[in-house]
Amino acid sequence: MDKKQKWAPGLKAVLLILLSHMTAGLEVPLDLPQPPTITLQSPKDYIFDPRENIVIHCEAKGNPHPSFSWTRNGTNFDVEKDSKVLMKPGSGTLVIDISGEKADAYEGTYQCTASNEHGKALSNNIVIRQSRSPLWSKERNEAILVQKGLPLLLPCRPPAGLPPPVIFWMDNNFQKLPLDKRVSQALNGDLYFSNVLPEDTRSDYICYARFPYTQTIQQKQPISVVVLNNNPEGERHPDFMLPSGSTSNKMVLRGETLELECIAKGLPTPNILWQKDAGKLPSGRTSFYHFNKTLKISDVNEDDAGDYRCTATNKLGSKHHLIKVTVKAAPFWISAPRNLILAPNETGILTCRVNGNPKPKINWFVNGRPIKDVYEKDGPKIEEDTVILSNVQSGSSAVYQCNASNEFGYLMANAFVNVLAEPPRVLTLPNQVYRVIMNHRALLDCASFGSPIPTIAWSKDGETSIKNSDSYVIHENGTLEINMAQPLHSGKYTCNATNNQGFKENHVFLEVKEPTRILTQPKYRRVQRGMSALFECKVKHDNSLVPTMTWLKDNGELPDDQRFEVGDDSLTIMDVIDDDAGTYTCITKTMLDQDSASATLTVVEKPDPPTDLELTDQMERSVQLTWIPGDENNSPIQSFLIEYMDLLHQPGIWVNLTEVSGTSTTAQLQLSPYVYYMFRVLAQNGVGYSEPSVPSAQYRTNPSAPDENPTNVEGTGTEPDNLVISWRPLTGFQSNGPGLEYKVQWRQKDVEDDWTSKNVGNTSQYIVTDTPTYVPYEIKVQAFNNYGNAPEPTVVIGYSGEDKPLSAPDSVQVTVPNSTLAEVQWEPVPNPSVRGELQGYRVYYCRVRGRHDQQEEADQHEQVLTFSGNRSEGMLPGLQPYSVYDLFIKVFNNKGEGPSSPIKTFETPEGVPDSPSFLSVIDYGLDTLTLKWGPPLSNNGRLTRYTLKYHPVNATNELGPVKEVIFPANVTTVTLTSLNASMLYKFYLNAWTRKGPGPDIKKEASTAMDTAVPNRQVDIATQGWFIGLMCAIALLILVLLIVCFIKRNKGGKYPVKEKEDAHQDPEIQPMKEDDGTFGEYSDTEDHKPLKGSRTPSNGTVRRDESDDSLVDYGEGGDGQFNEDGSFIGQYSGKKEKDTHEGNESSEAPSPVNAMNSFV
């Protein structure tokens, strides 16, 4: 400990410098010089089968490739001199052919050395031993005699084999002997009996030893056991057969399995219980065998040391044994030395950290030789488990060995020190693309090599330098870790490896993908057999990844059945059967991740019918029915329905009797007499009812008197002198016995004391004759059969037959509160005169005529209102005003109506009239409208006037001011003047009586020229195109008038000859009307221009060519000509009475004539 303190302060600074040079499992590229490294070797303890070749493995790598040599038992083993030994080319593995040779000649301790110019690496010491299976020593076993109840030990003591054999006990028939709590086999193979029984007597207790390498079995001589019963032992307290005494010790090596055993004797056979003092048995590593007699703790560590107590207990007491366990340890690694890559002038450190119990001794070697023998001075500094190599130089590469040993074993490890000066190289392939799911860890590799060991730096997208942070971790081996990858982490990453010899960079790419998730998971399904089951599994995934979906049933493949239809996001199972029940799992998988969801399918069906119906506890009126439920088919039975069939009265018809809960298997059934019963049971679950069970045996009940009387007993008369007594008969089931009849009894209520009776058969009515009209009777009907009478029946009241009433209502009065309603009052008739059940009164009334009419209406319609019950008044609605009515009243019962009351006449006052029968427009003008209407269909009084209201409506539906006009009652036509042209008007017309106005009749009409009532029309005079057209026409007319005026001033009068010449050219003819010429303009509507007329050359005008003759433009029928032959009327409009005489027109010329003049 003091030595450590001497160099530890200085070592601390060195550790800080050298820590970066230490890498686990450092790999040197094989194109660079490197010392040998052992890559494969045989185990330290090698037991071989003498029937097979011995193969001792030794493989190594290095540059140059290593050469191999061997030592045996510490001396050089010349492989080439032994023809039986072959070394595989390129390796140090030995193959020893031991056929025909003594195999034990090759037993020994072997060690392999791999060498090249940079150092030597050594294998472990490999101990080679031949497996052995020696024979059992011959012995003669005497029969063992033992009293019943005593303990017994049968020793096995097998021969020592290599490796140790497996022990088991069998008989002569090679059947294993049964082991139990009483008979057990110890770990050493001995057979223990806690107490013997007579059945333990046998002569073939044989111990067998199986040697695993040679697969041979050796047999011990049989042992004979005879159990005596002449002096059997009684019950005994427990005691231990193994181990002996109260305490024992046990040592176990760390990492091995601790095996403790306690075998006890006693009668009864004791039970064994284990516990650890001052602690608990380690969970997960503890197990019990041989009926709790053996305790095993695997992978033992130092904490398992302590006192273990086993307790043997029977009913007489208990016994303890304490086992003190100590844990030792062969050397084991804390950290083995690791290869070092050093640059010239660097310093390195090798550590060999081991532990063990006792503490291991550490020895250091270089190239297989003790360091102290190689370096007398200026060598590596050794401090127990540490070697410090300072200021190394080129050519000083070597392989160092650390050997740690104690009494229980040793550890040996090689670690090379390779002195190189190499620029960095990146071993990770360039431009690799790493794909990772969002929120998962991303690892970007940057495996590198260089000497000195390069430092690694990372950057993203060529700009951002990455440092260790919460998001990023740069590991010692250069790997960049992103704890929770997000989309923003996607991009190009560059790792730079740098040392004093240069630098190297490598680019990789990271793509962060959206996770694959099941959005719609399959849901639990309960499906009836034969139906379809649908499981949905809708998935969301990254668009760049292609998912595959797999369905499993109970974690296995789906059945190979066409009923299973797999869709893009669903699984459908058609025509479900029972075997389809199970758990269905949807697995959606991409190249990066997967998600899964499961749901269960339960196949249900109606329950199977109950079975084994049995009748017990049979009584007169009850029986107990029991049954065994059928299979509920995955849907719990909710109830059982019990039905019966009456084979005597209703054979073939099943009737529901009762229903019990689904947990019952019995029912107490209440029965009726005189029934031949059969029962059956139906089970009901969530799907429906099962098929009925097989019917039970027949069960007959004995007859008895009826339990009940007929129901619905009534007494009514069909004639004035009879009484019909009726009832609902009992069913055969209710009859309770044969000979069912009815005793019918009646008497007049409050008049007769004695009952009149009549026995009738199984019928439903009886008629009593010669009764007074409509009097009350007391009635009762009793059932009886051959076994007695039913209980006393209930008395009901009935009435004999009715007759029509005798009297009419009296003192009829009518009050008229308004023009459409009358109130009628009357004196009710006496009750005796009704002669039946009073139903009410009927009021008959009809309109005779209007009050202004002198004659009655030819077709009078009688109306009737019924007032139920004993009424004395009523209201008559819906009367016509200003009318004369007649009415009378009748009383009625169930038989019919009585006589009518005297006719009563009354009048209704005046009311408001109906609306006029029609309203129409019969004439339209530019500023006038003529309206016509008809009087109301019903005046309801004397008409006094009509009121007309109207107002204009513009194009935007805005209403103008209302005007009101009143007309006498005899006026039905009016012409409204001073209206606006092309304007829509709304009219409201109603009629008046002295009572007031009646409802309006409405009408819409327009002053437009159309005779039909126009719809809302757009005023053309306000349109821009129309105004423009009119302006253009006016301008053209103005131009023509100016030209005409100039020509007239220049030429004076126009000869007819010139006019004729002008008309001979067809191109100069006046334009036709359908060509849109000016010929349609004239001074008045009645004097239109010439249409297609032509003036003959002789100066005459032919009227038969056109209706628009020239004569139409003058007052007379003849045209007027001046002295020079010109036609004056041609250039004038229609002459006024005071026209001036002369050669010139008194008015402006018409456009057509002006045009002709221009031509």
Side-chain angles (χ1 to χ4, degrees):
M1 193 69 183
D2 292 340
K3 292 176 69 177
K4 283 187 179 180
Q5 292 177 347
K6 288 180 181 179
W7 59 263
L11 183 61
K12 186 179 297 183
V14 174
L15 287 174
L16 293 175
I17 298 173
L18 302 181
L19 189 60
S20 63
H21 296 277
M22 301 174 62
T23 58
L26 182 65
E27 293 290 333
V28 180
L30 289 177
D31 62 333
L32 296 178
Q34 61 174 298
T37 300
I38 300 291
T39 58
L40 177 65
Q41 58 182 321
S42 293
K44 295 178 181 179
D45 194 6
Y46 181 4
I47 300 175
F48 66 89
D49 186 343
R51 295 170 298 180
E52 298 177 354
N53 290 339
I54 302 173
V55 179
I56 311 175
H57 292 286
C58 181
E59 305 284 345
K61 67 177 182 177
N63 189 12
H65 188 72
S67 60
F68 297 90
S69 62
W70 286 87
T71 63
R72 185 173 69 176
N73 298 325
T75 61
N76 182 51
F77 179 52
D78 193 345
V79 174
E80 295 181 354
K81 291 183 178 181
D82 193 334
S83 60
K84 295 291 184 178
V85 180
L86 173 67
M87 183 183 294
K88 289 185 177 181
S91 81
T93 298
L94 298 181
V95 179
I96 303 175
D97 182 6
I98 57 175
S99 61
E101 298 289 338
K102 289 186 177 180
D104 54 2
Y106 290 97
E107 291 183 329
T109 301
Y110 291 76
Q111 188 174 36
C112 171
T113 301
S115 308
N116 67 11
E117 62 188 63
H118 302 294
K120 295 181 179 181
L122 276 64
S123 72
N124 290 320
N125 286 325
I126 303 171
V127 178
I128 305 297
R129 293 183 295 172
Q130 176 185 345
S131 65
R132 290 177 172 82
S133 54
L135 297 176
W136 230 297
S137 59
K138 292 185 177 181
E139 60 182 1
R140 183 174 180 181
N141 296 320
E142 298 291 338
I144 300 175
L145 303 179
V146 59
Q147 286 289 342
K148 174 185 174 183
L150 290 177
L152 176 64
L153 166 63
L154 300 182
C156 179
R157 293 192 290 273
L162 187 65
V166 177
I167 306 301
F168 51 93
W169 289 79
M170 293 195 298
D171 59 18
N172 280 329
N173 296 321
F174 299 99
Q175 298 297 314
K176 280 190 174 183
L177 296 178
L179 302 178
D180 54 24
K181 185 173 71 171
R182 186 178 62 85
V183 182
S184 57
Q185 177 182 316
L187 295 175
N188 64 0
D190 294 344
L191 191 64
Y192 285 84
F193 294 79
S194 296
N195 52 78
V196 294
L197 298 175
E199 54 264 31
D200 295 329
T201 298
R202 63 189 309 157
S203 61
D204 56 352
Y205 286 96
I206 305 173
C207 181
Y208 288 87
R210 179 172 61 84
F211 297 90
Y213 272 63
T214 60
Q215 296 299 315
T216 59
I217 297 177
Q218 302 289 347
Q219 173 184 338
K220 182 182 176 72
Q221 289 296 320
I223 302 174
S224 177
V225 174
V226 177
V227 178
L228 304 177
N229 201 13
N230 53 3
N231 188 19
E233 288 287 329
E235 294 182 344
R236 290 179 295 105
H237 284 78
D239 199 359
F240 286 101
M241 303 175 70
L242 184 73
S244 60
S246 60
T247 62
S248 60
N249 296 295
K250 178 74 173 180
M251 190 275 290
V252 63
L253 290 180
R254 180 183 184 273
E256 293 183 351
T257 297
L258 171 64
E259 293 183 322
L260 304 178
E261 63 179 345
C262 282
I263 300 175
K265 59 185 177 180
L267 188 66
T269 303
N271 294 315
I272 302 297
L273 178 66
W274 290 92
Q275 65 188 71
K276 183 180 180 183
D277 292 353
K280 294 182 178 180
L281 295 175
S283 62
R285 297 186 292 119
T286 302
S287 55
F288 300 95
Y289 297 90
H290 305 149
F291 303 95
N292 234 32
K293 297 176 184 178
T294 302
L295 167 66
K296 289 187 179 182
I297 299 177
S298 60
D299 193 19
V300 168
N301 57 48
E302 289 79 359
D303 294 336
D304 295 326
D307 294 341
Y308 290 79
R309 186 182 303 274
C310 66
T311 303
T313 306
N314 68 10
K315 67 179 183 178
L316 299 181
S318 60
K319 186 69 178 287
H320 304 282
H321 183 88
L322 191 66
I323 305 176
K324 297 180 178 295
V325 175
T326 58
V327 177
K328 301 292 184 176
F332 60 91
W333 290 116
I334 296 175
S335 63
R338 296 182 292 181
N339 296 334
L340 287 181
I341 309 296
L342 298 178
N345 300 316
E346 281 191 324
T347 297
I349 183 170
L350 294 174
T351 59
C352 181
R353 300 190 184 279
V354 294
N355 202 352
N357 186 8
K359 182 176 178 61
K361 179 181 179 182
I362 297 176
N363 293 305
W364 285 96
F365 301 82
V366 57
N367 294 330
R369 297 174 58 194
I371 290 181
K372 294 180 180 180
D373 294 347
V374 175
Y375 298 101
E376 295 181 359
K377 61 179 180 178
D378 299 329
K381 184 176 181 179
I382 301 174
E383 292 290 344
E384 291 190 357
D385 59 358
T386 303
V387 173
I388 301 172
L389 302 99
S390 302
N391 195 25
V392 297
Q393 300 299 317
S394 298
S396 60
S397 297
V399 181
Y400 289 78
Q401 289 84 31
C402 167
N403 186 299
S405 61
N406 66 12
E407 62 184 280
F408 299 110
Y410 77 94
L411 291 175
M412 199 273 287
N414 295 283
F416 67 67
V417 176
N418 199 6
V419 182
L420 294 172
E422 282 293 322
R425 59 174 75 181
V426 178
L427 305 179
T428 301
L429 294 176
N431 298 317
Q432 280 200 80
V433 178
Y434 293 88
R435 298 177 177 87
V436 67
I437 295 298
M438 186 173 68
N439 295 325
H440 284 62
R441 184 176 68 165
L443 295 174
L444 309 185
D445 294 329
C446 186
S448 64
F449 180 81
S451 183
I453 294 176
T455 58
I456 303 298
W458 284 88
S459 62
K460 182 177 183 294
D461 296 329
E463 299 176 357
T464 307
S465 178
I466 296 174
K467 304 296 183 183
N468 280 312
S469 63
D470 292 340
S471 299
Y472 297 99
V473 175
I474 301 177
H475 290 277
E476 182 182 347
N477 63 358
T479 297
L480 175 63
E481 177 181 347
I482 304 173
N483 291 327
M484 299 280 285
Q486 301 297 321
L488 59 88
H489 292 133
S490 297
K492 177 182 177 182
Y493 287 80
T494 302
C495 81
N496 287 280
T498 307
N499 66 10
N500 58 14
Q501 301 294 315
F503 75 95
K504 183 71 173 178
E505 69 176 16
N506 189 46
H507 305 294
V508 295
F509 298 88
L510 176 63
E511 296 177 358
V512 180
K513 306 293 186 180
E514 289 286 335
T516 302
R517 291 291 179 264
I518 295 177
L519 299 181
T520 303
Q521 297 188 355
K523 296 180 180 179
Y524 171 73
R525 299 292 186 209
R526 288 173 59 90
V527 179
Q528 186 175 355
R529 189 188 305 148
M531 305 299 288
S532 297
L534 172 64
F535 293 105
E536 289 187 308
C537 186
K538 295 185 178 178
V539 178
K540 178 184 178 183
H541 62 90
D542 192 279
N543 292 332
S544 63
L545 300 177
V546 179
T548 59
M549 183 175 292
T550 305
W551 287 90
L552 303 178
K553 178 181 184 292
D554 297 329
N555 294 325
E557 294 184 357
L558 290 178
D560 185 11
D561 193 327
Q562 293 182 351
R563 297 181 300 106
F564 289 78
E565 297 180 0
V566 178
D568 292 339
D569 53 12
S570 65
L571 168 66
T572 304
I573 307 174
M574 312 295 292
D575 193 19
V576 168
I577 60 177
D578 291 338
D579 290 343
D580 296 336
T583 299
Y584 290 84
T585 302
C586 159
I587 301 176
T588 179
K589 183 184 299 184
T590 66
M591 62 183 293
L592 298 179
D593 67 340
Q594 70 176 42
D595 196 12
S596 64
S598 300
T600 301
L601 171 64
T602 301
V603 180
V604 298
E605 185 52 273
K606 299 175 184 178
D608 292 345
T611 59
D612 298 337
L613 272 65
E614 184 178 358
L615 298 173
T616 60
D617 298 341
Q618 300 177 3
M619 309 290 288
E620 284 291 325
R621 294 290 186 99
S622 68
V623 69
Q624 181 171 281
L625 176 65
T626 62
W627 61 89
I628 297 177
D631 191 338
E632 63 184 18
N633 291 325
N634 295 325
S635 180
I637 294 177
Q638 300 169 351
S639 63
F640 290 99
L641 176 63
I642 302 171
E643 298 179 335
Y644 73 90
M645 179 191 294
D646 184 354
L647 297 174
L648 178 62
H649 303 103
Q650 290 182 308
I653 299 176
W654 288 96
V655 181
N656 294 348
L657 178 60
T658 187
E659 193 168 357
V660 298
S661 72
T663 59
S664 299
T665 57
T666 64
Q668 194 71 26
L669 307 179
Q670 299 303 314
L671 308 179
S672 294
Y674 196 50
V675 177
Y676 294 175
Y677 283 103
M678 284 181 65
F679 302 99
R680 70 181 186 184
V681 183
L682 294 83
Q684 181 191 26
N685 63 8
V687 181
Y689 280 100
S690 69
E691 293 297 319
S693 67
V694 175
S696 70
Q698 188 181 129
Y699 184 70
R700 299 186 179 187
T701 55
N702 295 323
S704 69
D707 294 326
E708 54 187 315
N709 286 303
T711 57
N712 292 358
V713 177
E714 294 180 352
T716 57
T718 57
E719 298 295 336
D721 59 351
N722 74 4
L723 172 65
V724 178
I725 302 173
S726 61
W727 59 89
R728 178 182 292 171
L730 300 181
T731 64
F733 183 83
Q734 296 170 315
S735 67
N736 286 5
L740 177 64
E741 293 188 24
Y742 301 98
K743 181 179 182 181
V744 184
Q745 303 176 74
W746 68 92
R747 68 182 177 185
Q748 191 172 342
K749 188 174 182 301
D750 300 329
V751 176
E752 299 176 345
D753 295 331
D754 297 331
W755 292 87
T756 304
S757 65
K758 180 70 175 180
N759 292 342
V760 298
N762 192 7
T763 183
S764 62
Q765 71 173 25
Y766 176 74
I767 300 177
V768 180
T769 58
D770 297 328
T771 62
T773 301
Y774 196 68
V775 295
Y777 277 86
E778 292 179 322
I779 305 167
K780 55 185 180 180
V781 180
Q782 184 179 29
F784 65 93
N785 61 18
N786 294 344
Y787 291 84
N789 297 332
E792 184 66 22
T794 302
V795 176
V796 299
I797 303 299
Y799 286 83
S800 58
E802 301 182 33
D803 205 348
K804 292 182 180 180
L806 296 175
S807 302
D810 199 4
S811 302
V812 177
Q813 301 292 328
V814 179
T815 304
V816 183
N818 59 46
S819 60
T820 61
L821 181 66
E823 181 179 359
V824 184
Q825 297 177 329
W826 63 89
E827 186 71 29
V829 300
N831 282 338
S833 68
V834 176
R835 299 205 296 178
E837 183 181 4
L838 176 64
Q839 296 298 312
Y841 293 85
R842 292 193 178 106
V843 179
Y844 293 84
Y845 62 99
C846 67
R847 183 176 184 272
V848 179
R849 59 179 174 80
R851 288 174 57 182
H852 55 278
D853 298 330
Q854 299 302 320
Q855 296 183 351
E856 295 185 358
E857 292 183 351
D859 186 16
Q860 296 181 0
H861 177 65
E862 186 177 71
Q863 295 176 274
V864 61
L865 278 179
T866 299
F867 299 94
S868 300
N870 192 14
R871 297 282 296 273
S872 62
E873 60 182 2
M875 307 296 287
L876 305 182
L879 302 179
Q880 188 169 336
Y882 208 59
S883 300
V884 178
Y885 282 87
D886 286 344
L887 71 75
F888 59 87
I889 304 174
K890 293 182 178 181
V891 66
F892 68 98
N893 61 17
N894 292 324
K895 197 69 174 178
E897 295 178 342
S900 61
S901 66
I903 292 176
K904 184 73 174 180
T905 300
F906 66 94
E907 296 180 349
T908 56
E910 203 170 2
V912 297
D914 292 349
S915 62
S917 57
F918 68 89
L919 174 62
S920 59
V921 180
I922 61 175
D923 193 15
Y924 298 86
L926 287 175
D927 57 358
T928 63
L929 286 173
T930 301
L931 305 180
K932 183 178 179 64
W933 62 86
L937 296 179
S938 296
N939 292 342
N940 296 335
R942 295 186 181 277
L943 291 183
T944 59
R945 59 177 174 172
Y946 292 99
T947 299
L948 176 66
K949 296 179 181 180
Y950 63 95
H951 52 74
V953 182
N954 65 12
T956 60
N957 283 330
E958 294 178 351
L959 304 178
V962 179
K963 294 185 179 181
E964 182 176 325
V965 186
I966 298 175
F967 307 103
N970 59 350
V971 174
T972 58
T973 303
V974 66
T975 299
L976 302 177
T977 60
S978 301
L979 303 178
N980 295 332
S982 299
M983 180 62 71
L984 177 67
Y985 284 87
K986 281 188 175 182
F987 299 97
Y988 310 89
L989 179 68
N990 60 14
W992 288 65
T993 64
R994 287 176 294 178
K995 192 69 175 178
D1000 293 336
I1001 185 171
K1002 300 176 183 179
K1003 186 72 175 178
E1004 290 186 3
S1006 175
T1007 54
M1009 296 309 296
D1010 295 335
T1011 58
V1013 178
N1015 293 327
R1016 303 279 196 274
Q1017 296 183 355
V1018 178
D1019 189 353
I1020 195 172
T1022 63
Q1023 302 300 304
W1025 64 269
F1026 184 76
I1027 295 173
L1029 178 61
M1030 291 299 101
C1031 292
I1033 293 174
L1035 181 60
L1036 181 58
I1037 292 173
L1038 179 60
V1039 172
L1040 291 176
L1041 290 175
I1042 292 172
V1043 172
C1044 180
F1045 180 79
I1046 294 173
K1047 294 270 299 178
R1048 180 178 290 275
N1049 289 341
K1050 290 173 61 176
K1053 299 183 176 66
Y1054 287 75
V1056 175
K1057 175 62 175 165
E1058 186 178 352
K1059 179 67 176 177
E1060 291 175 353
D1061 294 338
H1063 282 286
Q1064 288 178 359
D1065 188 354
E1067 297 297 329
I1068 312 299
Q1069 293 183 23
M1071 299 177 69
K1072 295 181 181 180
E1073 180 182 24
D1074 52 6
D1075 291 334
T1077 64
F1078 294 102
E1080 59 182 334
Y1081 290 92
S1082 62
D1083 289 340
T1084 66
E1085 188 69 15
D1086 297 332
H1087 297 83
K1088 299 180 179 179
L1090 298 175
K1091 296 183 180 178
S1093 63
R1094 181 184 290 262
T1095 305
S1097 58
N1098 58 7
T1100 63
V1101 179
R1102 297 177 58 185
R1103 290 183 59 89
D1104 56 354
E1105 293 182 6
S1106 175
D1107 292 336
D1108 296 333
S1109 172
L1110 294 175
V1111 180
D1112 294 337
Y1113 289 87
E1115 288 186 342
D1118 300 323
Q1120 297 180 7
F1121 293 86
N1122 290 334
E1123 293 176 356
D1124 59 2
S1126 61
F1127 180 40
I1128 300 173
Q1130 180 179 358
Y1131 304 102
S1132 64
K1134 185 177 180 181
K1135 292 181 62 178
E1136 303 291 340
K1137 292 181 180 180
D1138 56 351
T1139 53
H1140 300 283
E1141 304 244 351
N1143 295 328
E1144 295 182 353
S1145 172
S1146 62
E1147 294 186 20
S1150 71
V1152 177
N1153 293 335
M1155 177 65 78
N1156 290 336
S1157 299
F1158 179 77
V1159 176

